[in-house]
Amino acid sequence: KKKKEITNKVPFSGQALALVTDFYTKETNSNNANDFVDFFNYPVKTYFRKSNVSKAKILKDKENYFKDWENRTYTNITTTLVSYDDQKAKVKITFDYEINNGKKTLKGVSKHLLTIVNVKGKALISKVEVFK
C-alpha cells in the first residue's frame, strides 16, 4: 500500500496574488532596481504603454523611478483576482501612494492590472497595465 503524498502546494491563483503583493511591497522598501528583475517573464508583453519590454528596459525604468522618487509609501493595498486558471491569472491592485523626492510630493490612487503567467511552476509578471 502506497502512502499518499501530502503537498502544501499553493494553487497558482494564490501564487499570483502573493507575487503582486510582494512586488508592490518591495517597491516601497527597496531602491535597488535589480531586486525587481526576477518578477517578470521577458520580454514583458505589456509594461504600461510599451510592448515587448526587455529586462534592460525594466531595469532602466525602475532605476529612473527610484531616482526621481526616492521615498515611496503605498497604503490601503487591495488585490483582486479577476480571472485565473492553472497557467494565467489577472490580478487588479489598487493602492494609495505618496511619493516624494525631497522637493515635491505626489499623492493619489494607483490602479493596475497585472497578468501573471505560470512559467515552469513559477509565477511571473507578463503584463502591467493601468485601469480606470
Side-chain angles (χ1 to χ4, degrees):
K1 210 173 178 182
K2 279 187 179 175
K3 266 190 178 177
K4 269 192 177 170
E5 266 190 55
I6 298 168
T7 57
N8 292 329
K9 194 167 188 297
V10 177
F12 183 66
S13 57
Q15 290 177 41
L17 283 167
L19 176 82
V20 172
T21 302
D22 188 26
F23 182 83
Y24 285 89
T25 302
K26 187 169 269 193
E27 200 168 81
T28 64
N29 297 317
S30 173
N31 280 320
N32 182 351
N34 287 307
D35 288 348
F36 298 87
V37 293
D38 291 341
F39 280 90
F40 294 94
N41 186 42
Y42 298 100
V44 179
K45 283 187 181 165
T46 307
Y47 187 71
F48 297 103
R49 291 184 186 89
K50 298 182 176 88
S51 298
N52 297 317
V53 181
S54 68
K55 187 185 275 191
K57 286 189 175 150
I58 295 280
L59 263 173
K60 192 79 188 139
D61 178 74
K62 288 284 170 219
E63 283 167 1
N64 289 340
Y65 181 57
F66 298 158
K67 194 169 60 187
D68 292 346
W69 303 104
E70 204 172 296
N71 301 302
R72 299 171 303 283
T73 305
Y74 301 163
T75 53
N76 301 319
I77 294 175
T78 308
T79 54
T80 310
L81 202 54
V82 178
S83 63
Y84 67 93
D85 57 31
D86 289 343
Q87 295 305 311
K88 186 161 93 175
K90 288 189 178 228
V91 178
K92 271 186 186 175
I93 183 165
T94 306
F95 57 93
D96 298 330
Y97 67 86
E98 183 173 323
I99 56 178
N100 79 64
N101 58 11
K103 295 177 190 146
K104 190 163 129 183
T105 299
L106 296 181
K107 291 181 184 185
V109 178
S110 273
K111 297 177 180 184
H112 297 164
L113 175 66
L114 284 78
T115 302
I116 312 301
V117 291
N118 185 344
V119 181
K120 297 177 187 159
K122 189 175 181 184
L124 295 170
I125 300 167
S126 74
K127 290 184 179 180
V128 181
E129 300 166 283
V130 174
F131 75 91
K132 300 270 181 242

